Amino acid sequence: MQLEQLESWQRSLEEARGLIAEAALELSTAKQSQIQRRWEDAAQKFRQAHALYEAARQKLAMLATIDATTYRALQALRDGAAELLQQVQAALNEFESARWIEVCERNIAIAFDIQHQAEQALSQRNYDTARTLANQATHMNPALQPVSERTIRSAVDLARTNSKVLVVILCVILLAVVLGLQLGANQQVIPSLR
């Protein structure tokens, strides 16, 4: 076995370790983004972590199968690769069972649907429902905050406008009733004076 080949395998093992560390960092960042409900960012990070784990697995698969019957260094190299390969396989299995990316993408779709329902409620003049749904959409996906805030502002403005119109109509009706009572009272006073 040539020393160059051994050094090449050692470099491959170190590269795989680096990929695993980078993938673990991406996975941690993805989970943090998921906690913060930044779904698109989380999905992207999960994809990157998955790709890094997959690249590490491909590097380690070859190293774990080398024939190490004659050299202790090769035996240690193979054992290290096999151990890392098990870690990578466990991480990849977690991706398969948890379906992180699908969860993120489904949550993005749900948040957009809730925002769409808020806009429909607004167009149907159901202002309280529009505000509630827009708040839910923002809570579910903060990326929708500008759109949701516009919907909320519109709902509040339209509700105020409608309440002002209602107040004006009530004032006119009240004024008409008061004037009617006043005229009725004046007509009763006039015949009694005659």
Side-chain angles (χ1 to χ4, degrees):
M1 189 69 48
Q2 293 182 348
L3 187 58
E4 289 176 7
Q5 185 67 41
L6 185 59
E7 288 173 354
S8 170
W9 286 339
Q10 188 66 38
R11 279 194 304 275
S12 290
L13 184 63
E14 292 306 315
E15 286 174 21
R17 280 193 178 119
L19 288 170
I20 291 169
E22 191 177 342
L25 182 63
E26 288 290 333
L27 185 59
S28 173
T29 306
K31 288 181 179 179
Q32 188 63 34
S33 292
Q34 189 178 29
I35 289 168
Q36 295 171 350
R37 298 177 317 278
R38 293 185 355 238
W39 304 112
E40 292 172 8
D41 186 42
Q44 176 74 14
K45 296 286 184 187
F46 280 126
R47 284 187 192 100
Q48 289 170 353
H50 187 271
L52 289 167
Y53 276 128
E54 191 62 44
R57 187 187 65 75
Q58 289 174 0
K59 280 194 176 293
L60 293 169
M62 186 267 306
L63 291 174
T65 60
I66 59 175
D67 181 20
T69 54
T70 51
Y71 298 102
R72 278 189 216 158
L74 282 175
Q75 184 71 38
L77 185 69
R78 188 183 81 168
D79 292 346
E83 182 182 322
L84 285 174
L85 190 56
Q86 286 177 347
Q87 292 175 15
V88 168
Q89 199 58 50
L92 289 172
N93 288 340
E94 180 184 348
F95 270 104
E96 294 304 317
S97 64
R99 296 189 190 130
W100 294 108
I101 296 169
E102 289 88 355
V103 168
C104 294
E105 290 173 346
R106 187 176 68 237
N107 286 336
I108 291 168
I110 290 170
F112 274 107
D113 185 50
I114 291 171
Q115 177 58 36
H116 180 69
Q117 290 174 18
E119 290 167 4
Q120 284 180 333
L122 182 63
S123 69
Q124 295 169 356
R125 297 182 181 185
N126 193 345
Y127 305 124
D128 288 334
T129 303
R131 282 196 313 260
T132 302
L133 289 171
N135 278 327
Q136 286 177 354
T138 299
H139 180 71
M140 185 138 193
N141 187 358
L144 290 175
Q145 187 169 0
V147 175
S148 296
E149 284 178 355
R150 278 196 302 273
T151 303
I152 292 169
R153 274 196 303 275
S154 295
V156 169
D157 291 345
L158 290 171
R160 280 187 192 145
T161 302
N162 283 350
S163 66
K164 287 178 184 176
V165 169
L166 185 61
V167 167
V168 169
I169 291 171
L170 289 175
C171 286
V172 168
I173 291 171
L174 184 62
L175 184 61
V177 169
V178 169
L179 284 174
L181 290 174
Q182 185 68 30
L183 285 176
N186 284 344
Q187 287 178 355
Q188 286 180 354
V189 171
I190 292 175
S192 64
L193 289 177
R194 288 183 187 169

